Amino acid sequence: MAKIAFILLCHKDPEAIVRQAQSLTAVGDYIAIHFDRSASPTAYRQIRAALADNPGVVFAKRRVRCGWGEWSLVEATLEALKAAVDAFPRATHFYMLSGDCMAIKTAEYAHDFLDRRECDYIESFDYFKSDWIKTGWKEERLIYRHWFNERSQKKRFYAMFELQKRLGITRPIPPDLDIMIGSQWWCLRRRTVEWVLDFTRRRPDVVSFFRTTWIPDETFFQTLVRHLVPEREIDSRTLTFLMFTDYGMPVTFYNDHYDVLLSQDFLFARKISPEAADLKRRLGALYSAEGVKFDISNEGRQLFKFLTERGRIGRRFAPRFWETESSLGRERELLIVVCKKWHVAKRLLDRIRQMTNIPCIEYLFNEDNTALPDLGGIQATMSKRHRHRRALMRMLFEYFESERMIICMDPGNLDLLEDFCRDRALTRILEVECHFSDEYLIGHAMRVGLAGDNTPPETLQRLLPTIRNDMLHESDRIRDAEFDNHLRIRETDPPEVNAQAIAAFLSVGQDKAREIARTDHLFAD
């Protein structure tokens, strides 16, 4: 039967640590504690005194001063592992925890779960081929040496990075290792832990390499386990339930999350709020309970995504910056070119850029690859752009240091048009009406996946009226909305007529508007 030695890294809240250790060891499991050397000595003495008579508790023999992103976190983990391996010869598994983690299953369930399969549970994805790192540095974390803490010594951290980069000082990755990456919350078998500890003694070159990488707790164990253990014996997942917001911050759990947590297909959860006294009490008692049946629905991440995409009022989700000031700004002008033929709108924007100094952005709400500045990640995905549309536009106004801006939008984005036209900013719409030939409609059907190269001609002929009516319906909906400052130019009108609408849209003189209206091949397909 599985017996777990928990590896606990902690630095605060001694009362909670004592309660956690007592709860986990009450059923015969073990715990090895590393208490950050830079934390309160009084708190450490308090923990030692409270757990001195507990045979299921051991403390790391050497304490390390820990810092986020540093090798010190791996070093502290290794110290706790060494203490656990020596003190608990009957331990079959070693489970990494933090002080913010709590069990969301019983020990009975956890032991049975681990007994079912002979494998290690650790996220272990290819460092370079996977998309585990969403933004920021990738290769730079490995090939440059990082001696300073990015949070506490930011200037030195980036100064040393820039110096190495400027001088071309890089280093090779150990040739026999495939670097892997994943969550630092793992559960490893005893044999695997012993192999890892033996490897660190035999390969000081590898330890030296990881010692100066950045955030090695996401790569060290993940790489070594994959190097030492057959792939069939690795389940690349964590047994600790954790979620992150769109901005990379851990989601915190509160009292009303108890039922949701128990229904997840995980053994522990992170992070439990320090203020969630009732949740901590209930979860603390849960681990030693017997005969509890769990209905696993595993909907936690989907539920969180559903709620946050629609917004939620409550203490779990604090007001966000785009809710406290949602206007684009009373003095600003947002000019929107609406056109179904994107190439026509882009051609018009190119000409406007040549004739004015107004910042122009193409279909940012329709095309993933629209050129946008780095705004901290809010522009990274299409879903974020739509969800945080006003915040995105405010940041773009500030980035371009302009009170006027032009964007392109597809006629199907009526919800965006309605939202922006309700804003205190002055919003103008220039709708570009184009002629849709059968050839264009067939090409459109193929681009959006309604037809393919092998679609029979008779099928296409039946499809074309539907597509044409759908496009006309989008235009009718915009007209029915009766937006203020809604202007139109038409492919069938002469440039002199279109120039009047362009002049009003851009607030420019007739001469400049005529030059824009006379753009060569403006409506050509």
Side-chain angles (χ1 to χ4, degrees):
M1 178 179 174
K3 291 184 75 67
I4 307 170
F6 294 99
I7 307 301
L8 177 63
L9 266 56
C10 49
H11 65 281
K12 61 180 180 179
D13 203 352
E15 293 85 1
I17 292 170
V18 170
R19 288 194 300 270
Q20 188 180 33
Q22 291 171 338
S23 171
L24 296 177
T25 58
V27 293
D29 286 326
Y30 314 107
I31 189 167
I33 299 174
H34 178 278
F35 194 76
D36 194 334
R37 189 178 175 186
S38 59
S40 166
T42 302
Y44 180 61
R45 288 194 293 271
Q46 181 181 343
I47 297 169
R48 295 286 306 235
L51 298 174
D53 297 329
N54 190 325
V57 177
V58 69
F59 291 85
K61 295 179 180 178
R62 187 173 69 87
R63 293 167 60 208
V64 179
R65 296 183 186 276
C66 297
W68 183 88
E70 292 182 5
W71 167 256
S72 55
L73 290 176
V74 177
E75 190 174 12
T77 305
L78 290 172
E79 290 298 324
L81 277 173
K82 293 173 186 175
V85 168
D86 291 342
F88 309 126
R90 296 180 60 197
T92 61
H93 294 78
F94 296 78
Y95 196 121
M96 182 75 179
L97 288 178
S98 77
D100 296 322
C101 299
M102 290 199 73
I104 56 174
K105 297 291 186 293
T106 61
E108 184 178 62
Y109 182 99
H111 295 155
D112 178 68
F113 182 95
L114 295 176
D115 281 335
R116 289 178 213 162
R117 290 185 63 192
E118 183 62 28
C119 70
D120 298 301
Y121 295 93
I122 181 170
E123 282 191 350
S124 182
F125 304 104
D126 188 285
Y127 187 90
F128 295 101
K129 295 179 182 178
S130 73
D131 64 345
W132 203 87
I133 299 177
K134 303 296 183 184
T135 59
W137 286 356
K138 197 164 192 177
E139 186 181 36
E140 294 88 345
R141 288 169 58 168
L142 304 175
I143 64 172
Y144 296 107
R145 294 171 176 83
H146 304 280
W147 292 284
F148 300 103
N149 186 289
E150 192 269 345
R151 292 190 174 180
S152 61
Q153 299 172 292
K154 189 177 291 288
K155 288 185 178 180
R156 291 181 176 179
F157 179 89
Y158 287 106
M160 291 305 300
F161 168 72
E162 292 296 338
L163 179 63
Q164 293 176 81
K165 186 177 179 182
R166 189 162 57 248
L167 297 177
I169 302 174
T170 61
R171 58 173 174 179
I173 295 169
D176 59 329
L177 293 183
D178 292 322
I179 304 300
M180 313 300 288
I181 191 167
S183 167
Q184 62 269 52
W185 312 112
W186 38 254
C187 178
L188 304 178
R189 295 168 296 173
R190 184 181 193 92
R191 184 190 66 179
T192 301
V193 168
E194 290 173 344
W195 284 353
V196 169
L197 294 177
D198 179 64
F199 186 88
T200 61
R201 289 187 288 266
R202 291 187 293 105
R203 293 292 301 274
D205 60 312
V206 172
V207 174
S208 177
F209 171 78
F210 279 103
R211 189 181 293 274
T212 52
T213 59
W214 189 41
I215 322 181
D217 55 320
E218 294 179 349
T219 55
F220 180 78
F221 289 99
Q222 296 77 1
T223 299
L224 265 58
V225 170
R226 183 70 67 170
H227 181 72
L228 298 169
V229 177
E231 184 176 359
R232 65 180 181 276
E233 297 181 22
I234 299 174
D235 191 338
S236 187
R237 60 162 293 190
T238 175
L239 299 181
T240 298
F241 180 60
L242 66 162
M243 297 189 297
F244 292 90
T245 68
D246 292 342
Y247 300 96
M249 300 301 293
V251 173
T252 302
F253 300 111
Y254 292 88
N255 289 333
D256 55 346
H257 283 117
Y258 181 79
D259 292 329
V260 172
L261 291 177
L262 265 59
S263 67
Q264 305 311 305
D265 187 21
F266 297 86
L267 304 184
F268 281 74
R270 183 180 187 273
K271 306 172 59 168
I272 309 299
S273 169
E275 288 79 35
D278 187 57
L279 178 63
K280 295 171 79 171
R281 177 188 59 78
R282 297 175 74 183
L283 292 179
L286 175 69
Y287 194 67
S288 57
E290 296 181 356
V292 180
K293 301 298 181 184
F294 296 94
D295 295 322
I296 307 299
S297 59
N298 217 31
E299 82 300 340
R301 292 193 171 100
Q302 292 89 335
L303 179 61
F304 178 77
K305 182 175 184 289
F306 173 82
L307 291 172
T308 52
E309 282 185 350
R310 285 152 181 79
R312 175 176 174 176
I313 298 173
R315 64 192 185 91
R316 275 186 281 186
F317 301 99
R320 295 160 176 168
F321 73 92
W322 56 87
E323 294 170 343
T324 58
E325 175 48 64
S326 60
S327 173
L328 303 184
R330 192 182 298 276
E331 306 302 321
R332 288 172 171 161
E333 294 182 27
L334 178 60
L335 311 179
I336 305 175
V337 175
V338 177
C339 185
K340 194 65 180 181
K341 290 187 176 181
W342 294 2
H343 61 279
V344 173
K346 293 177 181 180
R347 204 173 288 146
L348 179 62
L349 244 64
D350 284 340
R351 187 60 172 158
I352 292 174
R353 288 191 187 99
Q354 296 169 15
M355 302 296 296
T356 72
N357 61 354
I358 307 172
C360 301
I361 304 175
E362 296 175 356
Y363 286 86
L364 74 163
F365 293 108
N366 302 101
E367 289 187 302
D368 283 311
N369 60 353
T370 299
L372 290 171
D374 187 351
L375 302 174
I378 195 173
Q379 84 296 337
T381 65
M382 193 62 66
S383 62
K384 285 185 180 180
R385 296 179 203 172
H386 278 257
R387 193 185 322 152
H388 312 316
R389 59 192 70 164
R390 294 198 182 192
L392 173 63
M393 299 309 299
R394 286 203 308 276
M395 295 170 78
L396 286 170
F397 274 113
E398 292 165 3
Y399 176 83
F400 289 113
E401 298 181 350
S402 173
E403 297 303 300
R404 308 180 73 204
M405 184 162 56
I406 304 175
I407 64 172
C408 291
M409 197 174 292
D410 188 272
N413 296 130
L414 182 63
D415 59 328
L416 295 176
L417 291 172
E418 290 176 333
D419 189 16
F420 288 135
C421 286
R422 286 194 299 264
D423 193 85
R424 292 199 295 258
L426 175 61
T427 303
R428 293 197 191 99
I429 298 172
L430 180 66
E431 186 178 359
V432 183
E433 295 185 9
C434 302
H435 171 69
F436 300 110
S437 66
D438 286 354
E439 291 76 12
Y440 174 82
L441 293 178
I442 291 172
H444 174 77
M446 291 184 174
R447 285 190 294 272
V448 300
L450 295 175
D453 294 334
N454 299 320
T455 302
E458 57 272 17
T459 302
L460 285 174
Q461 290 305 315
R462 288 195 298 268
L463 188 60
L464 292 184
T466 302
I467 298 174
R468 192 185 305 276
N469 289 335
D470 185 60
M471 292 181 175
L472 294 175
H473 177 63
E474 289 178 346
S475 182
D476 287 341
R477 290 174 67 207
I478 294 175
R479 294 182 188 182
D480 291 341
E482 299 181 344
F483 295 122
D484 294 334
N485 306 309
H486 180 192
L487 304 155
R488 297 183 191 88
I489 63 173
R490 299 176 175 87
E491 184 174 357
T492 55
D493 287 345
E496 290 72 20
V497 174
N498 287 336
Q500 297 177 19
I502 292 173
F505 178 68
L506 297 175
S507 300
V508 298
Q510 286 293 328
D511 291 342
K512 186 172 289 188
R514 274 192 293 272
E515 287 192 55
I516 296 173
R518 290 172 180 163
T519 300
D520 291 338
H521 312 294
L522 176 59
F523 293 98
D525 289 336

